[in-house]
Amino acid sequence: MPDFLPSELVVTPKGGVYHLDICPDELAHKIIIVGDQDRVEVVSNYFDEITHKNQHREFACHTGLYQGKEISVVSTGIGTDNIDIVINELDALVNIDLETRNEKKEKVSLEIIRLGTCGILQNEIPIDSFILSTHALGIDNVGHFYERNVDIETQKLEKAIDEGVKLPKYIKPYLTKASEELNNKLDSAEIKKGITVTSSGFYGPQGRRLRLPLVENEMLDSFSDFEYNGHYFSNLEMECSALFSLGSSLGHKTTAICLGLANRRKKEFTKNYESKIIELIEYVLDKI
Ligand code: R1P
Ligand code: URA
């Protein structure tokens, strides 16, 4: 019997993975993931050559060459529920033989960089900054469905956060670390760094109140005020926790660099999205 039966690992008629509908030979091992499907083409316009293009649902994938580097850019849509699908299917493409349905003996470690947008949690970080995640704190629940392997330092930081931040009582946060190797490639003097909060929504779960009252009104301030051994919360978005948690458990290198659109403390929103996202794309393509 194969390792993975058809109900667990769905393979499409063309031999691709179920939601992404990409085949193994269509994916590079260096991958940029973006939330917005329209951002895929903005990135691949920089490629010297495009070797593969497809889209199924919100998952668009363009693979090509950029200055001799083979890169795929894949859209994830919004949220950690989509990241669960994208990371499992990217891993299956390289580490499971889709024809025999057996796990491969030799494993591939992908480099996966999220190029996204985010809200900012600190007065000192201006809107339009580029923010590199050192860790992600999930206040979603995707990471809780999988066994996690967390190093001692991250466990200590997770405990300090558990004791130091105010969350609705039914939320159990989980902390994971970004790849230091990828962060070293992406870092420079102009880049801000910190812990990224990953929420399960854009409004209430990120402390935004429109017409519905929230059960916890101090959450955002308690993130902004938290500090432990030089670690602080820099930004807030909707994908990093599951990306880092599932990605690292599967043996891949994962990180995220995001454009800060909204400063939630200063109540400011950018007017420069179009030009700044282009700057971020050029920055990432040159660094990876
Ligand atoms: C919310 O507007 C979306 O924007 C951010 C959030 O994580 C969420 O996906 O990232 P992207 O711009 O990459 O989608
Ligand atoms: N993306 C988010 O998830 N939150 C923001 O405030 C801005 C972009």
Side-chain angles (χ1 to χ4, degrees):
M1 201 156 64
D3 293 339
F4 306 103
L5 294 170
S7 60
E8 315 301 300
L9 173 68
V10 183
V11 178
T12 63
K14 76 167 196 185
V17 281
Y18 184 46
H19 299 90
L20 305 185
D21 202 18
I22 308 172
C23 296
D25 61 347
E26 295 169 339
L27 184 75
H29 292 176
K30 209 183 268 300
I31 302 166
I32 294 173
I33 60 172
V34 296
D36 179 357
Q37 53 199 271
D38 292 342
R39 210 177 291 151
V40 170
E41 190 164 19
V42 184
V43 177
S44 71
N45 274 340
Y46 284 90
F47 291 176
D48 305 309
E49 183 192 345
I50 295 181
T51 50
H52 163 78
K53 261 187 182 189
N54 80 303
Q55 173 151 12
H56 182 233
R57 296 178 180 244
E58 62 265 64
F59 308 111
C61 173
H62 294 183
T63 298
L65 286 171
Y66 175 77
Q67 296 184 354
K69 297 178 272 198
E70 197 186 12
I71 299 176
S72 289
V73 50
V74 177
S75 58
T76 64
I78 290 180
T80 53
D81 48 350
N82 277 16
I83 294 292
D84 177 64
I85 287 172
V86 171
I87 297 305
N88 276 298
E89 293 191 5
L90 290 178
D91 178 71
L93 280 166
V94 291
N95 289 323
I96 297 175
D97 182 327
L98 298 184
E99 282 174 21
T100 64
R101 300 179 163 280
N102 289 324
E103 185 168 343
K104 292 183 184 170
K105 286 209 169 59
E106 296 291 315
K107 298 292 186 298
V108 169
S109 175
L110 298 168
E111 287 186 3
I112 308 174
I113 298 120
R114 166 166 150 72
L115 192 166
T117 64
C118 66
I120 297 168
L121 286 165
Q122 299 294 333
N123 278 323
E124 296 70 29
I125 302 182
I127 48 172
D128 297 335
S129 297
F130 299 162
I131 305 168
L132 185 60
S133 305
T134 59
H135 301 77
L137 183 80
I139 56 172
D140 64 307
N141 62 7
V142 169
H144 291 306
F145 287 87
Y146 298 92
E147 287 183 8
R148 292 192 302 135
N149 202 353
V150 182
D151 65 62
I152 299 284
E153 283 308 308
T154 307
Q155 282 178 33
K156 282 187 196 159
L157 180 55
E158 185 180 69
K159 185 163 181 284
I161 292 170
D162 228 351
E163 291 164 358
V165 300
K166 263 188 172 292
L167 293 170
K169 64 179 185 306
Y170 43 83
I171 302 293
K172 170 83 186 114
Y174 63 101
L175 187 73
T176 42
K177 215 176 152 183
S179 155
E180 280 180 27
E181 191 184 320
L182 285 184
N183 279 2
N184 289 339
K185 284 194 201 178
L186 286 162
D187 202 2
S188 73
E190 73 201 81
I191 300 295
K192 309 290 180 193
K193 291 188 287 278
I195 309 169
T196 299
V197 178
T198 299
S199 301
S200 52
F202 183 81
Y203 292 98
Q206 291 189 25
R208 282 187 173 91
R209 182 191 162 162
L210 296 187
R211 289 201 328 108
L212 275 181
L214 305 179
V215 295
E216 177 51 73
N217 294 307
E218 293 168 80
M219 178 180 82
L220 224 57
D221 284 339
S222 76
F223 280 133
S224 302
D225 295 340
F226 176 86
E227 196 277 332
Y228 173 81
N229 274 354
H231 293 288
Y232 70 96
F233 288 101
S234 49
N235 61 331
L236 195 58
E237 51 75 83
M238 298 179 60
E239 289 82 19
C240 284
S241 58
L243 169 65
F244 299 176
S245 181
L246 275 60
S248 62
S249 298
L250 285 163
H252 305 298
K253 299 183 188 93
T254 55
T255 193
I257 186 161
C258 290
L259 168 64
L261 298 182
N263 189 307
R264 301 297 310 290
R265 294 220 100 179
K266 291 172 137 178
K267 316 282 184 222
E268 293 171 350
F269 196 82
T270 185
K271 294 188 174 65
N272 307 314
Y273 169 79
E274 275 81 11
S275 62
K276 284 289 166 184
I277 201 77
I278 291 288
E279 251 183 64
L280 181 58
I281 290 168
E282 291 175 356
Y283 181 85
V284 170
L285 283 172
D286 282 336
K287 292 278 185 187
I288 61 172

